[in-house]
mmCIF file of all heavy atoms in Angstrom:
data_model
loop_
_atom_site.group_PDB
_atom_site.id
_atom_site.type_symbol
_atom_site.label_atom_id
_atom_site.label_comp_id
_atom_site.label_asym_id
_atom_site.label_seq_id
_atom_site.Cartn_x
_atom_site.Cartn_y
_atom_site.Cartn_z
ATOM 1 N N ALA A 52 80.190 143.154 60.819
ATOM 2 C CA ALA A 52 81.203 143.285 61.817
ATOM 3 C C ALA A 52 81.051 144.637 62.532
ATOM 4 O O ALA A 52 80.388 145.539 61.956
ATOM 5 C CB ALA A 52 82.626 143.189 61.190
ATOM 6 N N TRP A 88 81.785 138.862 51.051
ATOM 7 C CA TRP A 88 81.078 137.848 51.868
ATOM 8 C C TRP A 88 81.387 138.119 53.331
ATOM 9 O O TRP A 88 80.653 138.817 54.003
ATOM 10 C CB TRP A 88 81.522 136.436 51.439
ATOM 11 C CG TRP A 88 80.676 135.328 52.018
ATOM 12 C CD1 TRP A 88 80.388 135.088 53.325
ATOM 13 C CD2 TRP A 88 79.988 134.338 51.275
ATOM 14 N NE1 TRP A 88 79.594 133.984 53.458
ATOM 15 C CE2 TRP A 88 79.325 133.470 52.213
ATOM 16 C CE3 TRP A 88 79.884 134.020 49.906
ATOM 17 C CZ2 TRP A 88 78.602 132.392 51.822
ATOM 18 C CZ3 TRP A 88 79.145 132.898 49.498
ATOM 19 C CH2 TRP A 88 78.449 132.130 50.455
ATOM 20 N N GLY A 89 82.432 137.532 53.853
ATOM 21 C CA GLY A 89 82.795 137.765 55.237
ATOM 22 C C GLY A 89 83.625 139.101 55.345
ATOM 23 O O GLY A 89 84.254 139.487 54.424
ATOM 24 N N LEU A 90 83.531 139.673 56.496
ATOM 25 C CA LEU A 90 84.352 140.874 56.752
ATOM 26 C C LEU A 90 84.648 140.973 58.253
ATOM 27 O O LEU A 90 83.931 140.411 59.097
ATOM 28 C CB LEU A 90 83.765 142.160 56.243
ATOM 29 C CG LEU A 90 82.618 142.822 57.023
ATOM 30 C CD1 LEU A 90 82.448 144.255 56.491
ATOM 31 C CD2 LEU A 90 81.305 142.098 56.888
ATOM 32 N N ALA A 91 85.767 141.589 58.547
ATOM 33 C CA ALA A 91 86.222 141.798 59.945
ATOM 34 C C ALA A 91 86.858 143.165 60.063
ATOM 35 O O ALA A 91 87.398 143.688 59.095
ATOM 36 C CB ALA A 91 87.116 140.670 60.360
ATOM 37 N N VAL A 92 86.856 143.729 61.248
ATOM 38 C CA VAL A 92 87.449 145.015 61.494
ATOM 39 C C VAL A 92 88.511 144.840 62.597
ATOM 40 O O VAL A 92 88.244 144.265 63.650
ATOM 41 C CB VAL A 92 86.440 146.039 61.907
ATOM 42 C CG1 VAL A 92 87.081 147.425 62.100
ATOM 43 C CG2 VAL A 92 85.262 146.128 60.946
ATOM 44 N N VAL A 98 89.387 147.446 57.654
ATOM 45 C CA VAL A 98 88.316 146.552 57.313
ATOM 46 C C VAL A 98 88.898 145.514 56.343
ATOM 47 O O VAL A 98 89.437 145.853 55.270
ATOM 48 C CB VAL A 98 87.139 147.265 56.651
ATOM 49 C CG1 VAL A 98 86.007 146.306 56.377
ATOM 50 C CG2 VAL A 98 86.682 148.388 57.583
ATOM 51 N N PHE A 99 88.724 144.212 56.685
ATOM 52 C CA PHE A 99 89.212 143.099 55.860
ATOM 53 C C PHE A 99 87.998 142.393 55.285
ATOM 54 O O PHE A 99 87.110 141.967 56.056
ATOM 55 C CB PHE A 99 90.105 142.130 56.696
ATOM 56 C CG PHE A 99 91.347 142.741 57.216
ATOM 57 C CD1 PHE A 99 91.354 143.541 58.336
ATOM 58 C CD2 PHE A 99 92.546 142.517 56.544
ATOM 59 C CE1 PHE A 99 92.522 144.104 58.813
ATOM 60 C CE2 PHE A 99 93.734 143.085 57.001
ATOM 61 C CZ PHE A 99 93.717 143.910 58.137
ATOM 62 N N VAL A 100 87.960 142.252 53.981
ATOM 63 C CA VAL A 100 86.779 141.688 53.319
ATOM 64 C C VAL A 100 87.212 140.452 52.503
ATOM 65 O O VAL A 100 88.195 140.506 51.753
ATOM 66 C CB VAL A 100 86.162 142.709 52.382
ATOM 67 C CG1 VAL A 100 84.892 142.113 51.727
ATOM 68 C CG2 VAL A 100 85.829 143.995 53.174
ATOM 69 N N ALA A 101 86.448 139.373 52.639
ATOM 70 C CA ALA A 101 86.674 138.205 51.809
ATOM 71 C C ALA A 101 85.861 138.382 50.504
ATOM 72 O O ALA A 101 84.668 138.343 50.485
ATOM 73 C CB ALA A 101 86.239 136.947 52.518
ATOM 74 N N GLY A 102 86.563 138.602 49.406
ATOM 75 C CA GLY A 102 85.945 138.655 48.101
ATOM 76 C C GLY A 102 85.718 137.261 47.555
ATOM 77 O O GLY A 102 86.650 136.637 47.048
ATOM 78 N N ILE A 108 91.534 138.783 49.408
ATOM 79 C CA ILE A 108 91.206 139.517 50.591
ATOM 80 C C ILE A 108 91.477 140.976 50.300
ATOM 81 O O ILE A 108 92.544 141.328 49.835
ATOM 82 C CB ILE A 108 92.032 139.046 51.798
ATOM 83 C CG1 ILE A 108 91.775 137.573 52.084
ATOM 84 C CG2 ILE A 108 91.713 139.901 53.027
ATOM 85 C CD1 ILE A 108 90.339 137.196 52.452
ATOM 86 N N LEU A 109 90.484 141.805 50.509
ATOM 87 C CA LEU A 109 90.610 143.252 50.299
ATOM 88 C C LEU A 109 90.681 143.987 51.599
ATOM 89 O O LEU A 109 89.921 143.638 52.566
ATOM 90 C CB LEU A 109 89.481 143.759 49.436
ATOM 91 C CG LEU A 109 89.257 143.070 48.098
ATOM 92 C CD1 LEU A 109 88.076 142.132 48.138
ATOM 93 C CD2 LEU A 109 89.081 144.095 46.971
ATOM 94 N N TRP A 121 95.230 140.811 48.492
ATOM 95 C CA TRP A 121 96.105 139.688 48.163
ATOM 96 C C TRP A 121 95.254 138.495 47.823
ATOM 97 O O TRP A 121 94.093 138.383 48.180
ATOM 98 C CB TRP A 121 97.092 139.405 49.280
ATOM 99 C CG TRP A 121 96.474 138.826 50.570
ATOM 100 C CD1 TRP A 121 96.157 137.522 50.807
ATOM 101 C CD2 TRP A 121 96.186 139.516 51.768
ATOM 102 N NE1 TRP A 121 95.635 137.367 52.063
ATOM 103 C CE2 TRP A 121 95.673 138.584 52.663
ATOM 104 C CE3 TRP A 121 96.287 140.843 52.169
ATOM 105 C CZ2 TRP A 121 95.275 138.951 53.976
ATOM 106 C CZ3 TRP A 121 95.844 141.178 53.481
ATOM 107 C CH2 TRP A 121 95.355 140.276 54.356
ATOM 108 N N PRO A 134 86.754 132.140 49.177
ATOM 109 C CA PRO A 134 86.895 132.523 50.560
ATOM 110 C C PRO A 134 85.611 133.107 51.081
ATOM 111 O O PRO A 134 85.006 134.003 50.430
ATOM 112 C CB PRO A 134 88.019 133.520 50.543
ATOM 113 C CG PRO A 134 87.950 134.119 49.158
ATOM 114 C CD PRO A 134 87.469 133.013 48.285
ATOM 115 N N THR A 135 85.164 132.688 52.219
ATOM 116 C CA THR A 135 83.897 133.093 52.803
ATOM 117 C C THR A 135 83.988 133.874 54.090
ATOM 118 O O THR A 135 83.269 134.804 54.342
ATOM 119 C CB THR A 135 82.948 131.943 52.948
ATOM 120 O OG1 THR A 135 83.579 130.959 53.781
ATOM 121 C CG2 THR A 135 82.544 131.405 51.638
ATOM 122 N N GLY A 136 84.848 133.413 54.952
ATOM 123 C CA GLY A 136 84.969 133.987 56.290
ATOM 124 C C GLY A 136 86.355 134.549 56.557
ATOM 125 O O GLY A 136 87.330 134.014 56.147
ATOM 126 N N VAL A 137 86.352 135.740 57.227
ATOM 127 C CA VAL A 137 87.628 136.320 57.579
ATOM 128 C C VAL A 137 87.459 136.885 59.010
ATOM 129 O O VAL A 137 86.431 137.402 59.361
ATOM 130 C CB VAL A 137 88.034 137.430 56.626
ATOM 131 C CG1 VAL A 137 86.954 138.560 56.548
ATOM 132 C CG2 VAL A 137 89.364 138.007 56.924
ATOM 133 N N SER A 138 88.551 136.708 59.771
ATOM 134 C CA SER A 138 88.489 137.252 61.180
ATOM 135 C C SER A 138 89.857 137.741 61.540
ATOM 136 O O SER A 138 90.901 137.309 60.993
ATOM 137 C CB SER A 138 88.042 136.163 62.195
ATOM 138 O OG SER A 138 88.996 135.088 62.258
ATOM 139 N N VAL A 139 89.939 138.617 62.534
ATOM 140 C CA VAL A 139 91.154 139.152 63.064
ATOM 141 C C VAL A 139 91.378 138.516 64.413
ATOM 142 O O VAL A 139 90.587 138.680 65.345
ATOM 143 C CB VAL A 139 91.143 140.697 63.156
ATOM 144 C CG1 VAL A 139 92.466 141.211 63.696
ATOM 145 C CG2 VAL A 139 90.779 141.326 61.811
ATOM 146 N N ILE A 145 95.374 137.470 60.382
ATOM 147 C CA ILE A 145 94.129 137.370 59.661
ATOM 148 C C ILE A 145 93.862 135.873 59.387
ATOM 149 O O ILE A 145 94.721 135.220 58.783
ATOM 150 C CB ILE A 145 94.161 138.150 58.364
ATOM 151 C CG1 ILE A 145 94.614 139.580 58.633
ATOM 152 C CG2 ILE A 145 92.801 138.147 57.671
ATOM 153 C CD1 ILE A 145 93.821 140.355 59.645
ATOM 154 N N TRP A 146 92.696 135.349 59.739
ATOM 155 C CA TRP A 146 92.354 133.965 59.486
ATOM 156 C C TRP A 146 91.208 133.953 58.476
ATOM 157 O O TRP A 146 90.242 134.679 58.579
ATOM 158 C CB TRP A 146 91.863 133.336 60.798
ATOM 159 C CG TRP A 146 92.936 133.146 61.822
ATOM 160 C CD1 TRP A 146 93.674 134.094 62.490
ATOM 161 C CD2 TRP A 146 93.566 131.902 62.177
ATOM 162 N NE1 TRP A 146 94.625 133.555 63.290
ATOM 163 C CE2 TRP A 146 94.580 132.175 63.126
ATOM 164 C CE3 TRP A 146 93.316 130.552 61.863
ATOM 165 C CZ2 TRP A 146 95.387 131.176 63.665
ATOM 166 C CZ3 TRP A 146 94.096 129.562 62.396
ATOM 167 C CH2 TRP A 146 95.116 129.895 63.333
ATOM 168 N N VAL A 147 91.430 133.142 57.445
ATOM 169 C CA VAL A 147 90.491 133.080 56.307
ATOM 170 C C VAL A 147 90.003 131.689 56.069
ATOM 171 O O VAL A 147 90.793 130.739 56.016
ATOM 172 C CB VAL A 147 91.199 133.590 55.008
ATOM 173 C CG1 VAL A 147 90.182 133.536 53.854
ATOM 174 C CG2 VAL A 147 91.740 134.999 55.185
ATOM 175 N N ALA A 148 88.654 131.533 55.955
ATOM 176 C CA ALA A 148 88.095 130.256 55.638
ATOM 177 C C ALA A 148 88.098 130.106 54.142
ATOM 178 O O ALA A 148 87.304 130.772 53.465
ATOM 179 C CB ALA A 148 86.615 130.159 56.199
ATOM 180 N N ARG A 182 83.292 127.539 56.554
ATOM 181 C CA ARG A 182 82.774 128.894 56.244
ATOM 182 C C ARG A 182 83.374 129.980 57.109
ATOM 183 O O ARG A 182 83.270 131.160 56.798
ATOM 184 C CB ARG A 182 81.243 128.896 56.411
ATOM 185 C CG ARG A 182 80.524 128.066 55.342
ATOM 186 C CD ARG A 182 80.610 128.784 53.986
ATOM 187 N NE ARG A 182 79.879 128.025 52.962
ATOM 188 C CZ ARG A 182 78.583 128.247 52.714
ATOM 189 N NH1 ARG A 182 77.867 129.068 53.389
ATOM 190 N NH2 ARG A 182 78.025 127.525 51.765
ATOM 191 N N GLY A 183 83.954 129.644 58.241
ATOM 192 C CA GLY A 183 84.526 130.668 59.084
ATOM 193 C C GLY A 183 85.473 130.086 60.118
ATOM 194 O O GLY A 183 85.405 128.891 60.473
ATOM 195 N N ALA A 184 86.412 130.929 60.622
ATOM 196 C CA ALA A 184 87.348 130.502 61.709
ATOM 197 C C ALA A 184 87.646 131.730 62.528
ATOM 198 O O ALA A 184 87.693 132.827 62.058
ATOM 199 C CB ALA A 184 88.643 129.982 61.092
ATOM 200 N N ALA A 185 87.773 131.481 63.850
ATOM 201 C CA ALA A 185 88.020 132.577 64.778
ATOM 202 C C ALA A 185 88.858 132.071 65.897
ATOM 203 O O ALA A 185 88.681 130.917 66.366
ATOM 204 C CB ALA A 185 86.734 133.189 65.313
ATOM 205 N N VAL A 224 81.626 131.816 62.444
ATOM 206 C CA VAL A 224 81.838 131.567 63.865
ATOM 207 C C VAL A 224 82.491 132.852 64.483
ATOM 208 O O VAL A 224 83.349 133.475 63.859
ATOM 209 C CB VAL A 224 82.746 130.364 64.142
ATOM 210 C CG1 VAL A 224 84.121 130.506 63.541
ATOM 211 C CG2 VAL A 224 82.830 130.054 65.647
#
Side-chain angles (χ1 to χ4, degrees):
W88 191 305
L90 78 165
V92 185
V98 183
F99 295 80
V100 183
I108 301 298
L109 302 106
W121 70 81
T135 54
V137 59
S138 67
V139 182
I145 310 303
W146 291 69
V147 181
R182 291 291 182 88
V224 61

